[in-house]
Amino acid sequence: MDISNKPIGFFDSGVGGLSVLKKSIELLPNEDFIYLGDSKNAPYGVKSVEEVRKLSFQAVEFLLQYNVKAIVVACNTATSAAIEQLRKEYKNIPIIGIEPALKPAVELNKRGTIVIMATTMTLSEKKFNRLMNKYKDKANIVPLPCPGLVELIEKGVLQGSEVNQFLKDKFSILDKDEIASVVLGCTHYPFIKNELSNVLNKDVIIIDGSDGTSAQLKRQLKRNKMINLKGEKGAVHIYNTLDDKEVLDISYKLLGI
Ligand code: DGL
């Protein structure tokens, strides 16, 4: 089989990575995609690095069964815990990760604080701290760990009083008038963007990393001469480690298909 006709694999701790998949489908409509949500083990953000690494290897092994030509780690937490080890182990396949989109936030050059919402693990890992050090002299950056938010999104609760109250409580420690932008450093969070806008001042810019990751996926496919040129709309298959129809229903709804 021509390698360009093979599918692209995605995985996340649950339904969050669908926010990245959605962007990738828009950018690469002819590709076939296989998505694995590990909702049985969500959230990853409060587990140990070793556990998340182990789960990431399991997810990659699952995707490889489907003969995928590239893998997107559509999870900031798994990227920080495992991307280096995965790339070392699976040298023959492009593996694309995601990290909080701090660079575009700094480049906005907007006066005020840049808030990074992410899981506790993402914000405490080496990868993020390297990123933070790179930009710390250029902007006032405030990491905001949000344990508990992924659980709501996994249940399909994306708006309403529960999410609103959660976000209000989180942002109550900050001066709202000082916030220039908010970086969504977890792939689950784009799904609560509407409710987040209700909590922040109107002029705050909300940035998510899925555009950058999807663009990087496209560059890698091109570089490796793997772009699918068949010219027809690709297929999307979603799998979940939870043997539960509800989570698949939520997944297809989030993806809008
Ligand atoms: N979607 C995830 C991320 O981007 C992981 C959230 C979690 O499972 O804690 O970090």
Side-chain angles (χ1 to χ4, degrees), residues 53 56-57 73 78-91 95 97 125-128 130:
R53 207 168 277 161
S56 303
F57 272 84
V73 183
T79 299
S80 46
I83 195 105
E84 282 172 27
Q85 290 74 9
L86 291 172
R87 285 184 179 142
K88 228 178 253 171
E89 179 70 23
Y90 304 102
K91 292 202 176 67
I95 302 183
E125 270 307 290
K126 272 204 301 285
K127 206 171 190 318
F128 177 72
R130 276 201 296 263

Side-chain angles (χ1 to χ4, degrees), residues 109-230:
N109 254 327
K110 202 167 173 266
R111 202 200 65 78
T113 304
I114 299 173
V115 180
I116 320 272
M117 295 172 71
T119 67
T120 311
M121 187 189 298
T122 298
L123 296 174
S124 58
E125 270 307 290
K126 272 204 301 285
K127 206 171 190 318
F128 177 72
N129 284 297
R130 276 201 296 263
L131 189 67
M132 179 94 172
N133 278 333
K134 196 165 156 191
Y135 293 106
K136 72 171 189 307
D137 297 331
K138 298 202 174 91
N140 181 30
I141 305 161
V142 178
L144 189 65
C146 297
L149 188 50
V150 162
E151 287 88 329
L152 290 176
I153 299 164
E154 280 289 307
K155 284 191 282 183
V157 182
L158 310 181
Q159 53 194 24
S161 56
E162 211 177 344
V163 183
N164 187 279
Q165 197 54 51
F166 181 99
L167 295 170
K168 269 194 187 136
D169 290 347
K170 271 288 144 198
F171 279 86
S172 65
I173 56 163
L174 302 168
D175 179 352
K176 268 173 56 180
D177 297 333
E178 275 303 306
I179 302 176
S181 59
V182 174
V183 175
L184 305 179
C186 168
T187 56
H188 280 74
Y189 302 166
F191 292 119
I192 50 94
K193 197 171 163 184
N194 286 347
E195 204 57 74
L196 182 61
S197 310
N198 293 336
V199 170
L200 301 169
N201 289 353
K202 290 265 169 303
D203 60 341
V204 175
I205 296 171
I206 303 174
I207 302 172
D208 91 68
S210 37
D211 288 315
T213 301
S214 302
Q216 175 64 3
L217 169 64
K218 189 171 179 177
R219 274 195 297 274
Q220 286 274 3
L221 294 179
K222 272 194 178 155
R223 188 173 306 149
N224 291 286
K225 300 193 175 21
M226 288 179 179
I227 287 257
N228 196 327
L229 300 167
K230 72 177 185 284

Side-chain angles (χ1 to χ4, degrees), residues 34-36 57-66 239-240:
I34 308 271
Y35 181 93
L36 175 68
F57 272 84
Q58 280 174 14
V60 168
E61 285 295 324
F62 175 89
L63 293 170
L64 289 174
Q65 291 175 49
Y66 294 88
Y239 298 91
N240 197 288

